[in-house]
Coordinates of all heavy atoms in Angstrom, one line a residue:
V362 N -9.1 7.9 4.1 CA -8.0 7.5 3.3 C -7.7 6.0 3.4 O -7.5 5.3 2.4 CB -6.7 8.3 3.7 CG1 -5.5 7.8 2.9 CG2 -6.9 9.8 3.4
N363 N -7.8 5.6 4.6 CA -7.5 4.1 4.9 C -8.5 3.2 4.3 O -8.2 2.1 3.9 CB -7.4 3.9 6.4 CG -6.2 4.5 7.0 OD1 -6.0 4.5 8.2 ND2 -5.3 5.0 6.2
K364 N -9.8 3.6 4.2 CA -10.8 2.8 3.6 C -10.6 2.5 2.2 O -11.2 1.6 1.6 CB -12.2 3.3 3.9 CG -12.6 4.5 3.1 CD -14.0 5.0 3.5 CE -14.5 6.2 2.7 NZ -15.8 6.6 3.0
K365 N -9.8 3.4 1.5 CA -9.5 3.2 0.1 C -8.1 2.4 0.0 O -7.5 2.4 -1.1 CB -9.3 4.5 -0.6 CG -10.6 5.3 -0.6 CD -10.5 6.7 -1.2 CE -11.8 7.5 -1.2 NZ -11.6 8.8 -1.8
L366 N -7.7 1.8 1.1 CA -6.4 1.1 1.2 C -5.2 2.0 0.9 O -4.2 1.5 0.3 CB -6.5 -0.1 0.3 CG -5.4 -1.2 0.6 CD1 -5.7 -1.8 2.0 CD2 -5.5 -2.3 -0.4
A367 N -5.3 3.3 1.2 CA -4.2 4.2 1.0 C -3.7 4.6 2.4 O -4.2 4.2 3.5 CB -4.7 5.4 0.2
G368 N -2.7 5.5 2.4 CA -2.1 5.9 3.7 C -1.5 4.8 4.5 O -0.9 3.9 3.9
S369 N -1.7 4.8 5.8 CA -1.1 3.8 6.7 C -1.7 2.4 6.5 O -1.1 1.5 7.0 CB -1.2 4.3 8.1 OG -2.6 4.6 8.5
A370 N -2.9 2.3 5.9 CA -3.5 1.0 5.6 C -2.6 0.1 4.8 O -2.6 -1.1 5.0 CB -4.8 1.1 4.9
L371 N -1.7 0.7 4.0 CA -0.8 0.0 3.1 C 0.2 -0.8 3.9 O 0.8 -1.8 3.4 CB -0.2 0.9 2.1 CG -1.1 1.4 1.0 CD1 -0.4 2.6 0.3 CD2 -1.4 0.3 0.0
L372 N 0.5 -0.4 5.1 CA 1.5 -1.0 5.9 C 1.2 -2.5 6.2 O 2.0 -3.3 6.6 CB 1.8 -0.3 7.2 CG 2.2 1.2 7.1 CD1 2.4 1.9 8.4 CD2 3.6 1.3 6.3
Q373 N -0.1 -2.8 6.1 CA -0.5 -4.2 6.3 C -0.2 -5.1 5.2 O -0.3 -6.4 5.3 CB -2.1 -4.2 6.5 CG -2.6 -3.4 7.6 CD -4.1 -3.3 7.6 OE1 -4.8 -4.0 8.3 NE2 -4.6 -2.4 6.8
F374 N 0.3 -4.6 4.0 CA 0.5 -5.4 2.8 C 1.9 -5.1 2.2 O 2.0 -4.3 1.2 CB -0.6 -5.1 1.8 CG -2.0 -5.2 2.4 CD1 -2.8 -4.1 2.8 CD2 -2.6 -6.5 2.6 CE1 -4.0 -4.3 3.3 CE2 -3.8 -6.6 3.1 CZ -4.6 -5.5 3.5
P375 N 2.9 -5.6 2.8 CA 4.3 -5.3 2.3 C 4.5 -5.6 0.8 O 5.2 -4.9 0.1 CB 5.2 -6.2 3.2 CG 4.4 -6.4 4.4 CD 2.9 -6.5 4.0
D376 N 3.8 -6.7 0.3 CA 4.0 -7.0 -1.2 C 3.4 -5.8 -2.0 O 4.0 -5.5 -3.0 CB 3.2 -8.3 -1.5 CG 4.0 -9.5 -0.9 OD1 5.1 -9.4 -0.5 OD2 3.3 -10.6 -0.9
L377 N 2.3 -5.3 -1.6 CA 1.7 -4.1 -2.3 C 2.6 -2.9 -2.2 O 2.7 -2.1 -3.1 CB 0.3 -3.9 -1.9 CG -0.5 -2.7 -2.5 CD1 -0.5 -2.9 -4.1 CD2 -1.9 -2.6 -2.0
V378 N 3.1 -2.7 -1.0 CA 4.1 -1.6 -0.8 C 5.2 -1.7 -1.8 O 5.6 -0.7 -2.4 CB 4.6 -1.6 0.7 CG1 5.8 -0.7 0.8 CG2 3.5 -1.3 1.7
T379 N 5.7 -2.9 -1.9 CA 6.9 -3.1 -2.9 C 6.5 -2.7 -4.3 O 7.2 -2.0 -5.0 CB 7.3 -4.6 -2.8 OG1 7.7 -4.9 -1.5 CG2 8.5 -4.8 -3.8
K380 N 5.3 -3.1 -4.7 CA 4.8 -2.9 -6.1 C 4.7 -1.4 -6.3 O 5.0 -0.8 -7.4 CB 3.5 -3.6 -6.4 CG 3.7 -5.1 -6.5 CD 2.3 -5.8 -6.7 CE 2.5 -7.3 -6.7 NZ 1.2 -8.0 -6.8
I381 N 4.1 -0.7 -5.3 CA 3.8 0.8 -5.5 C 5.2 1.5 -5.5 O 5.4 2.4 -6.4 CB 3.0 1.3 -4.3 CG1 1.6 0.7 -4.4 CG2 3.0 2.8 -4.2 CD1 0.7 1.0 -3.2
L382 N 6.1 1.2 -4.6 CA 7.3 1.9 -4.6 C 8.1 1.7 -5.9 O 8.7 2.6 -6.4 CB 8.2 1.5 -3.4 CG 7.5 1.7 -2.0 CD1 8.5 1.4 -0.9 CD2 7.1 3.2 -1.8
E383 N 8.2 0.4 -6.3 CA 8.9 0.2 -7.6 C 8.3 0.9 -8.7 O 9.0 1.5 -9.6 CB 8.9 -1.3 -7.8 CG 9.8 -2.2 -6.9 CD 9.7 -3.7 -7.2 OE1 8.8 -4.1 -7.8 OE2 10.6 -4.4 -6.7
S384 N 7.0 0.9 -8.8 CA 6.3 1.6 -9.9 C 6.6 3.1 -10.0 O 6.9 3.6 -11.0 CB 4.8 1.3 -9.8 OG 4.4 0.0 -10.0
V385 N 6.5 3.7 -8.8 CA 6.7 5.2 -8.8 C 8.2 5.5 -9.0 O 8.5 6.4 -9.8 CB 6.3 5.7 -7.4 CG1 6.6 7.2 -7.3 CG2 4.8 5.5 -7.2

């Protein structure tokens, strides 16, 4: 999961976290 930049790997990228949460 992490090698696809999913799951807990996303915690390394707060800006991407923001985009995902806003989109959903």
Side-chain angles (χ1 to χ4, degrees):
V362 174
N363 289 173
K364 72 179 182 181
K365 297 178 182 177
L366 200 62
S369 55
L371 287 165
L372 300 177
Q373 302 170 96
F374 308 100
D376 290 344
L377 180 55
V378 168
T379 302
K380 291 177 183 177
I381 290 172
L382 298 186
E383 288 178 343
S384 295
V385 176

